[in-house]
Amino acid sequence: MRITPGGPDDVDAVLALLDDATAWLVSIGRTGQWGTQPRSTNPRGVAQITEWAETGRLHLARIDGEVAGALAVGEAMPYVPPATEPELYVNLLVAGRAHAGRGVGARLLDHARAIARQRGARQLRVDCYAGDDRALVRYYERQGFTATDVFAVGEWPGQILVERLRSG
């Protein structure tokens, strides 16, 4: 597995990962997380992925040349409380279902930690869907994050998680 920068030519591959993940979530009855419609049909979502790609915030995990996962990092989203110390925020983390169980998400989070340290951040934060059985919250906890604030965007329940970074 290699982690590479993503660019405008990778937007369609990231949207395909998101569409695949959404279809899988729908198939297991977890429509509260991302809804039921493919992300590639949401102009706002496409614009967001495109912006991340054009501004150097997108990173891809590749297995045998194929895009297996995507990460976008930068600043916290406007709906979460501001950071109280220097941080890097995980804006997107998605792994392709074809590569489930291969540690794609974990490797991308390791990459985010490395970027954060390079930039002098003392913490890595992420937010995620906190509905249903909180499975996604538990995933991030297993990756070293600690659940902190809860929030809602309309009816969508969210959880903020933080990981304090050690230097080096």
Side-chain angles (χ1 to χ4, degrees):
M1 185 179 325
R2 289 183 35 239
I3 309 296
T4 63
D9 290 344
D10 299 307
V11 169
D12 287 342
V14 174
L15 290 169
L17 289 174
L18 290 165
D19 287 353
D20 187 44
T22 300
W24 175 73
L25 289 166
V26 168
S27 77
I28 62 170
R30 297 181 73 93
T31 58
Q33 184 170 332
W34 283 348
T36 59
Q37 298 304 306
R39 281 293 183 84
S40 60
T41 63
N42 178 333
R44 200 175 101 200
V46 172
Q48 182 67 79
I49 301 299
T50 302
E51 177 190 340
W52 290 332
E54 290 174 345
T55 58
R57 296 172 55 190
L58 184 65
H59 307 268
L60 304 175
R62 296 179 187 273
I63 297 176
D64 298 327
E66 178 184 343
V67 175
L71 166 77
V73 294
E75 296 182 9
M77 302 304 281
Y79 52 79
V80 301
T84 58
E85 59 187 293
E87 75 170 1
L88 185 67
Y89 205 88
V90 174
N91 301 115
L92 171 72
L93 179 69
V94 62
R97 296 302 309 154
H99 301 285
R102 295 184 69 181
V104 173
R107 284 283 303 276
L108 286 167
L109 287 171
D110 284 344
H111 187 70
R113 290 177 187 102
I115 294 169
R117 286 185 184 102
Q118 285 177 336
R119 295 182 183 179
R122 294 198 308 247
Q123 70 180 14
L124 189 62
R125 277 198 310 168
V126 64
D127 69 78
C128 71
Y129 178 65
D132 297 321
D133 59 3
R134 295 178 56 88
L136 194 51
V137 173
R138 287 194 310 278
Y139 168 79
Y140 283 110
E141 289 173 332
R142 287 191 308 273
Q143 297 302 317
F145 289 82
T146 300
T148 58
D149 302 303
V150 295
F151 67 96
V153 176
E155 298 290 316
W156 191 87
Q159 176 72 60
I160 299 169
L161 298 101
V162 63
E163 180 179 342
R164 303 273 177 232
L165 299 172
R166 295 183 295 268
S167 55

